[in-house]
Structures are given as structure tokens and as C-alpha cells.
Amino acid sequence: MLKLIQNEWMKLWHKKGTWAMVAMLILVILVPAGITKYYEVKSTDEGSWQEMEQQAIQSNKEMLANEELTAEDKVYFEEQIALSEYRLANDAPSQTDSSLASFMSFTSNMIILVTLFTVITAASIVSSEFSTGTIKMLLTRPMSRAKVLTSKLLTTFLFGFLLFVVNVVVSAIVGFVLFGIGTGVELEIVNGQVAEKAVWSDLAYHYLLSGGDFVMSTLFAFLVGSVFRSSSLAIGLTMFLSFTGGMIVMFLSRYDIVKYIWLTHSDLTQYENGGGSMIADVTMPFSLTVLAIYAVIFLIISYTSFMKRDVTA
């Protein structure tokens, strides 16, 4: 198995597209960092953070004076005032605009790009073998088809993990060099009270929850690429479902079947910060169970199709 994975890994890095994906990921981290630093330098003459918080309080109070505000809007502005007053009273400046933690929170959204690049790899790692005819040479080795397909799947996830590491490490280095550690704090409203956020644990939890969509999208692209031997179809269909999944779920929300569709549960970040699912009576354990069932189904279809296919056709 290790030999097979090594072989797949070398073939993957022999492609220029693999290097291009890594370079693009690094580029989309560097460019926003440079822009943020540029505007940070230009905004140094806008006044102290205390003055800005006082202006925010005054602005939010003016918004509260509007009689047409909804109850939700009133609660929002009242919470913003409470946060600003807490900062002034406890000498707790915000680090939202310029700090290592805030920049890494921003780049955590790049997991979408990591998922996209992993989906591209998953979609093509099997289909490309059929399109080029190299699958015949690969299957002449004294290895079962199951081992061959497993090596491709593991290589895909290893590549995705590498992109994840690149995202985190590059973001940490760039954020530290340009913004430093930062001395401010992040605040949130918990049960009506102002509390300081555990930024790093929240960031780690966000990455963990983002793994749901990453794993399911990769397995689905791997399935389509294995069954239909078309990387373009696998990439297009997976991305279509990823971007329109929310609309599909909302359209089917009136029907009970929506609870048993994997698109409803793949975005586990909906449970972040104590939030719940957009569908009533759906919990985190239920979502994980549904995703596990679909993951097994995707793998069974992929392996069954690959092992029974006539490669001489």
C-alpha cells in the first residue's frame, strides 16, 4: 500500500496543475494580507481606539432612536453598545483589524479553496487514468483493484491535508510578520452578558467543523470521477451542489426528506458558537450520523464500480 501511495504521490506532483494550486493558495493569502497592512498604515491617523469606540456608541444610540427598527435590530445595536462600553471600562481594545488571530480567522475561510483543489484532485485521480489509458498498466501489477483505489483515495486526502497545513502555516507566518501577536481581545454576548472569546479554541473548532464539507465534497467528487470517468463532470457537479446546497435545502425544508439529504448536514459550521441547524429538530449527532451513512454509501458505489469495470472496453 505504501508503494502504491508513493507512486500516486509522485504522479500527482509531476503535474504542473498541482504546483499551481499550491501557489494559488499561497497567493490568495499574501494579497489580502498586503492590502490589509496597507490600509492599516493609512488609517493610523484616524484617532485612538477609545475615540472610535465612543463614536460607535454614539452612532449605535442614534440608530436605536429609529422607531422603525425591528426587535432583532434593537437587540443587535444594544449588544454593540454593551461591547463598546465594556472595552472602554476595562481598557480592552479590539484586535479585529490587525492581529495574528484576526488574520488567521480571516484565512480560515480559505478552507473553501482547499476543498475546491482537493475536489479537483479527487475528480481526476481516477478518471485521468482511464482517459490516458494508463489504468491498464496500473492494474497489471500484482495488487488488487481495491488496494489501487484505496491508494488513490488516501493520496487525495493526504494532498488535501497538505493544503490545509500550507494554509495554516503560511497564514501564521504572514500574520505574525505583518501584524504581530496583538494585544486586544475579542468579545461576545453570552446569555446577555459580555464575555471574552477564546479566539484560538474557536478558530480550531471552526477548522474542525469545516472538515464536514471538505470530506463529503471530496468523497462525492471521487465517486463521480470513479463511476463516470469524467473529471469535468465530477468537478462541475460537486461545485454546483456546494454552492447551491443551501438553496436546495431551503426549497425542500417544508418536507421531512430534507433531514436525510447529505447537503443539509455537510456544513457543520452551522453549529458554531452554539448555533443550531437551519432545519428544526436536527442536532450535531444526527448530522454526523447522516454524513457517516452517506460516506459509506459513496465509498461502496466507488469501489463496486471500479472493481467491476471492464478496463479493456
Side-chain angles (χ1 to χ4, degrees), residues 12 15 33 65 71-72 97 119 126 128 132 137 151 155 180 182 192 230 242 271 280 282 302 310:
L12 181 63
K15 301 176 182 178
E72 292 79 6
D97 296 330
V119 162
V126 175
S128 61
T132 59
M137 299 175 58
S151 67
T155 301
S230 172
S242 296
Y271 297 106
V282 173
S302 300
D310 181 10

Side-chain angles (χ1 to χ4, degrees), residues 21 24-25 28 109-118 163:
M21 287 187 284
M24 189 177 299
L25 179 61
V28 297
N109 297 317
M110 299 303 173
I111 194 68
I112 298 176
L113 196 60
V114 171
T115 300
L116 172 61
F117 291 156
T118 309
L163 293 179

Side-chain angles (χ1 to χ4, degrees), residues 30-102:
L30 293 175
V31 172
I35 295 175
T36 303
K37 185 63 177 180
Y38 172 76
Y39 282 104
E40 178 194 4
V41 173
K42 290 191 64 176
S43 61
T44 54
D45 58 346
E46 291 184 358
S48 65
W49 69 267
Q50 291 92 340
E51 294 174 346
M52 296 181 66
E53 292 295 344
Q54 290 172 352
Q55 293 174 4
I57 292 174
Q58 183 62 33
S59 176
N60 288 325
K61 285 183 177 180
E62 293 176 357
M63 294 299 297
L64 278 175
N66 188 349
E67 298 180 354
E68 298 181 357
L69 285 179
T70 63
E72 292 79 6
D73 290 336
K74 288 183 179 180
V75 171
Y76 170 78
F77 288 118
E78 289 173 352
E79 289 181 347
Q80 295 304 307
I81 292 174
L83 293 175
S84 295
E85 291 177 342
Y86 181 93
R87 293 191 183 282
L88 293 173
N90 296 273
D91 192 25
S94 171
Q95 60 177 8
T96 302
D97 296 330
S98 56
S99 70
L100 172 62
S102 61

